[in-house]
Amino acid sequence: MARGTLRIYLGAAPGVGKTFTMLEEGRRRAERGADVVIGVVETHGRVETAAQIRDLEIVPRTHLTYRDTDFEEMDLAAVLARRPEVALVDELAHTNVPGSPHAKRWQDVEALLDAGIEVISTVNVQHLESVNDVVATITGVPQRETVPDAVVRAADQVELIDMAPEALRRRMAHGNIYPADTIDAALGNYFRVGNLTALRELALLWTADNVDEALRRYRDEHDITGVWEARERVVVAVTGGPEGDTLIRRAARIAARSRSGDLLAVHISRSDGLTAADPARLEKQRELVESLGGTFHAVVGDDVPAALLDFARGADATQLVLGTSRRPRWQRALSEGIGSRVTAKSGPIDVHMVTHSEARGWRRLPELTGGLTTRRRVLGFALALVGLPLLTLVLKLVEGHLDLSSELLLYLGFVVAVALVGGGYPAVFAAAAGTLLMNWFFTPPVRTFTIAEFDNIVALGVFVLVALSVAAVVDLSARRRREASRAQAEAEMLSALSRGVLAGGRALPALLEQVRDAFGQDSVALRERVDGRWEVVDTIGDPAGPGGAEIPVTESLQLVLRGRRLAASDRRVLTAFAAQAAVALRQTRLTARAAEAAELAEGNRMRTALLAAVSHDLRTPLASIKAAISALRMTTVALEPDDVDELHATIDESADQLAALIDNLLDMSRLQTGAVNPLRRSVGLDEVVPRAVADGAGVGGPTITVDVPETLPAVLADPGLLERALANLVSNAVRHGAGAPVVVRGSALGNRVELRIVDTGPGVAVEDRDRIFAPFQRLGDRPAGNGVGLGLAVARGFVEAVGGTLEPEDTPGGGLTMVVSLEVAR
């Protein structure tokens, strides 16, 4: 059986028209003769959306009971039994009620597709798993219902239903999305222009990435390797050299000529790691690329031109920016450079060779020495000084038994030995001395520096060249070995450094301490230029000590070391530490700003919730009081005594609601600002529990049974705060206990006393138990009901303030039990 196809309508926010378009498509299919049914559709009371259903067949939903509440879900079995050609399934990210065949609706859709049924569905961008946290940051509203991106990307067709933020807000204002009593709150919160614009951008970018992925998949399936210029992509190759900034800015200007152009910077590293670029400069170039809206990539490859072209083709690059060679002219004359090889093999990719100030002519040749230690070079000279006379003496003793070529080979072998021991300079000395000795003692005419035969000149010349070549190879090998050893040590050091920075916490002080220990310094400090003056950001040791070095990090940051003199090779590694110091400083400051932002966001959320409380929960009792007083003041209607009593009771009850609400708001404000100062003393529970039960019970509520033995020991608490906490817990149990009796039970356990407030209502799911203690949080986030969701938050805050704990438990047989644990007074 062929698998069904999936079509998804993606939207940036509720109300853009996803469900409307889905139903419209379903009707078009039905009019063309397809067998179309509605598996589930959520109109949310929108008249225009409901009108689109018309004569489409609707599969009846199944009814499920969960926690004594009835729910409706799509009847998957019924849809499978009906076996339509096309099924319309709304809200792909929906979470099914426990007891359903699957936990998520997208899993129901997978079952329909496996049965060969074509499915048309809808989803909003905020429900995509990959952007869920981003949406929560933008809107301040976390989305608990998500769908894996892979499910949506696997759809045969994803169509974006787009609408400008202003148009969507007009739809909201006209009452086409939400009920009239929620329009103002929605427009001022989730449906702000900034939020909608950001969500729209997320939806557009996600769709564009999905289209790009589909294009890549199509090209792979059809073995298309050429570059398709669907979008201008400019790749710039950076080596970590000083010309990198020039190349990046030039590439950014090229990409900016196309509004949708992408900028990609790539650095090719050799696998041996011996030609690593300056890490500090590379980090600055990475920051420059990202500041220009591009992305930075690092690729390992021994064949730089091939690796560069492979990356460019893999990224569908249309243009490639390279810098002109920094090699000297004599090297360019001997071999073509990277730019020439890339240009020759680039194919349809345009290659830009950009000149820069670092492209100079002749350079000084590298030094011959540097790979071996001074001790080995001294041993090499000593071997040459002692060994050459001895070898000459031995050859004179056997003179006549060996020809000139054999003598040259013996001298050459000795020079190679000197090269192996002492490297370049001793080998050059041995070659020169050996040449003179050969010429004087063994090359006719002897005892003169004149060479009579041309063959002997060639032999001596080859001897000198071979000796020098071997010396250079030995020295290079030794240098590479030392570089490899140092690179390994540096890699281990930098790996530890990266782990420290990634670990966060005290990243910067730990980094500075590591620098001090690794390089044997007395002190290390990070300084920042502020208003033209250098100020110490952080330091390990005394930054005013003698000697030292200053390693620039950025124009406004520098690493200052005090202690022993640093070698040039140490400075190269220090630039990496300096770059990481800047990262650690930025991380520390970003963490601090994030904490401040979180605090501000929490304050904003509290203010928003407070405004919601004022607009709804304060208005309700005030409206009751006003209506009752207006009725009492009416002179045109004669009220019966019972009616008057009822109106008085309404005023009294509404005033109590207002008082309780204001008390909770004030208490929460005290908790948030840290203004709660408990006066802990020995308190008997018989002093607190009866008053708390009386305050929390209200009028006309269910029966409350108090089972607190008089033999329980006194507890250590503030009686006022404990009473308020218990009153809130009792009030919560009464409100949510479904009218069933509430029990307050006390018991002793070791050096703790536990009070249990037990109800037999619907209870709370385990995953929601932490959430119910959040300020302004009501179970299910429903606007119905009394209070603003502060009771449990205040209760936990007060219990913890007096040194106790408050935890929820399941009531045996159903319901919720709040357990208050307090320390026994000694």
Side-chain angles (χ1 to χ4, degrees), residues 139-162:
T139 64
V141 180
Q143 299 292 334
R144 291 184 292 275
E145 293 186 328
T146 59
V147 58
D149 286 48
V151 174
V152 183
R153 291 190 187 279
D156 299 273
Q157 185 174 347
V158 178
E159 183 174 337
L160 178 65
I161 307 301
D162 187 34

Side-chain angles (χ1 to χ4, degrees), residues 290-315:
E290 292 174 352
S291 69
L292 293 172
T295 56
F296 190 94
H297 307 265
V299 177
V300 176
D302 291 325
D303 188 343
V304 175
L308 183 58
L309 287 172
D310 286 344
F311 175 82
R313 293 191 182 104

Side-chain angles (χ1 to χ4, degrees), residues 91-96 103-106 123-133 135-137 139-148 190 605 764-772 774-783:
E91 296 188 357
L92 185 65
H94 172 75
T95 300
N96 293 329
K104 293 285 190 177
R105 185 166 290 169
W106 64 263
V123 70
N124 276 330
V125 70
Q126 65 262 32
H127 296 296
L128 297 176
E129 186 68 50
S130 65
V131 298
N132 183 258
D133 56 339
V135 172
T137 302
T139 64
V141 180
Q143 299 292 334
R144 291 184 292 275
E145 293 186 328
T146 59
V147 58
Y190 194 90
R605 192 180 71 82
V764 177
V766 175
E767 60 270 18
D768 291 331
R769 288 184 180 175
D770 286 335
R771 192 163 55 90
I772 61 176
F776 303 105
Q777 178 64 56
R778 287 176 294 215
L779 185 61
D781 284 332
R782 296 182 178 89

Side-chain angles (χ1 to χ4, degrees), residues 716-800:
L716 191 62
D718 183 312
L721 297 182
L722 181 58
E723 180 183 331
R724 288 300 313 282
L726 295 177
N728 280 355
L729 293 174
V730 171
S731 175
N732 185 75
V734 169
R735 185 181 304 113
H736 298 289
V742 175
V743 179
V744 179
R745 183 178 296 117
S747 61
L749 183 64
N751 63 344
R752 309 286 292 184
V753 170
E754 291 185 348
L755 286 173
R756 282 177 159 77
I757 296 85
V758 184
D759 71 61
T760 55
V764 177
V766 175
E767 60 270 18
D768 291 331
R769 288 184 180 175
D770 286 335
R771 192 163 55 90
I772 61 176
F773 291 103
F776 303 105
Q777 178 64 56
R778 287 176 294 215
L779 185 61
D781 284 332
R782 296 182 178 89
N786 297 325
V788 292
L790 283 175
L792 293 181
V794 169
R796 172 171 274 186
F798 281 174
V799 170
E800 291 178 350

Side-chain angles (χ1 to χ4, degrees), residues 28 87 282 404 666 760 770 815:
R28 279 197 296 268
L282 268 181
L404 181 62
L666 292 175
T760 55
D770 286 335

Side-chain angles (χ1 to χ4, degrees), residues 450-511:
T450 302
I451 302 176
E453 298 181 11
F454 180 75
D455 290 345
N456 293 336
I457 296 177
V458 173
L460 286 174
V462 171
F463 165 73
V464 172
L465 287 176
V466 171
L468 293 179
S469 299
V470 170
V473 169
V474 170
D475 192 72
L476 179 62
S477 175
R479 184 183 298 114
R480 289 296 190 226
R481 183 183 60 78
R482 293 188 63 188
E483 288 178 355
S485 300
R486 183 176 179 85
Q488 181 179 1
E490 291 174 358
E492 292 174 356
M493 187 185 301
L494 293 175
S495 175
L497 167 66
S498 299
R499 287 196 300 270
V501 173
L502 291 174
R506 287 176 35 83
L508 183 57
L511 185 148

Side-chain angles (χ1 to χ4, degrees), residues 339-684:
S340 300
R341 294 170 59 191
V342 168
T343 304
K345 299 178 181 180
S346 63
I349 303 176
D350 297 336
V351 179
H352 300 261
M353 298 298 296
V354 179
T355 59
H356 50 84
S357 59
E358 299 299 321
R360 300 191 183 101
W362 294 97
R363 283 187 172 186
R364 183 171 57 89
L365 291 174
E367 294 184 1
L368 181 63
T369 59
L372 299 175
T373 62
T374 303
R375 180 174 177 274
R376 284 190 59 177
R377 286 198 291 271
V378 170
L379 287 175
F381 278 113
L383 179 62
L385 289 172
V386 175
L388 283 173
L390 289 176
L391 177 61
T392 304
L393 178 61
V394 170
L395 290 177
K396 289 297 292 180
L397 293 176
V398 297
E399 190 174 11
H401 297 284
L402 297 174
D403 60 9
L404 181 62
S405 59
S406 298
E407 293 168 344
L408 281 173
L409 287 175
L410 289 173
Y411 272 102
L412 179 60
F414 183 80
V415 172
V416 170
V418 171
L420 291 173
V421 173
Y425 283 142
V428 170
F429 170 75
T435 302
L436 294 175
L437 291 172
M438 281 288 301
N439 192 0
W440 183 266
F441 288 105
F442 303 106
T443 304
V446 296
R447 290 183 174 81
T448 69
F449 289 109
T450 302
I451 302 176
E453 298 181 11
F454 180 75
D455 290 345
N456 293 336
I457 296 177
V458 173
L460 286 174
V462 171
F463 165 73
V464 172
L465 287 176
V466 171
L468 293 179
S469 299
V470 170
V473 169
V474 170
D475 192 72
L476 179 62
S477 175
R479 184 183 298 114
R480 289 296 190 226
R481 183 183 60 78
R482 293 188 63 188
E483 288 178 355
S485 300
R486 183 176 179 85
Q488 181 179 1
E490 291 174 358
E492 292 174 356
M493 187 185 301
L494 293 175
S495 175
L497 167 66
S498 299
R499 287 196 300 270
V501 173
L502 291 174
R506 287 176 35 83
L508 183 57
L511 185 148
L512 297 180
E513 188 168 359
Q514 186 177 3
V515 171
R516 184 184 65 174
D517 295 342
F519 296 95
Q521 298 295 299
D522 297 328
S523 69
V524 179
L526 183 66
R527 298 196 308 188
E528 183 176 23
R529 186 188 295 274
V530 179
D531 296 331
R533 295 183 299 105
W534 288 104
E535 297 184 359
V536 176
V537 176
D538 205 343
T539 181
I540 299 294
D542 183 11
E550 296 179 352
I551 308 297
V553 183
T554 64
E555 293 182 357
S556 59
L557 282 176
Q558 64 177 203
L559 200 62
V560 181
L561 296 89
R562 295 287 182 261
R564 71 174 182 86
R565 185 183 181 88
L566 293 172
S569 57
D570 290 336
R571 289 178 174 269
R572 187 177 68 84
V573 182
L574 272 172
T575 55
F577 277 89
Q580 291 296 333
V583 173
L585 178 61
R586 186 163 61 247
Q587 181 187 46
T588 301
R589 289 177 174 174
L590 286 175
T591 301
R593 290 173 185 170
E596 294 175 1
E599 185 176 347
L600 291 174
E602 179 64 19
N604 185 57
R605 192 180 71 82
M606 295 282 289
R607 286 191 293 273
T608 302
L610 181 59
L611 290 174
V614 171
S615 65
H616 180 271
D617 295 278
L618 287 179
R619 186 167 54 192
T620 300
L622 284 173
S624 300
I625 293 173
K626 179 173 176 56
I629 292 176
S630 298
L632 290 172
R633 296 183 60 187
M634 290 177 60
T635 58
T636 57
V637 178
L639 298 175
E640 297 293 333
D642 290 342
D643 295 333
V644 173
D645 290 341
E646 184 176 352
L647 291 173
H648 284 158
T650 299
I651 294 172
D652 186 56
E653 182 179 353
S654 298
D656 288 342
Q657 290 180 13
L658 277 176
L661 180 60
I662 291 172
D663 286 343
N664 278 337
L665 288 170
L666 292 175
D667 290 339
M668 196 69 237
S669 176
R670 291 167 60 200
L671 287 170
Q672 292 287 336
T673 57
V676 176
N677 298 310
L679 300 175
R680 300 176 69 196
R681 64 176 178 82
S682 178
V683 179

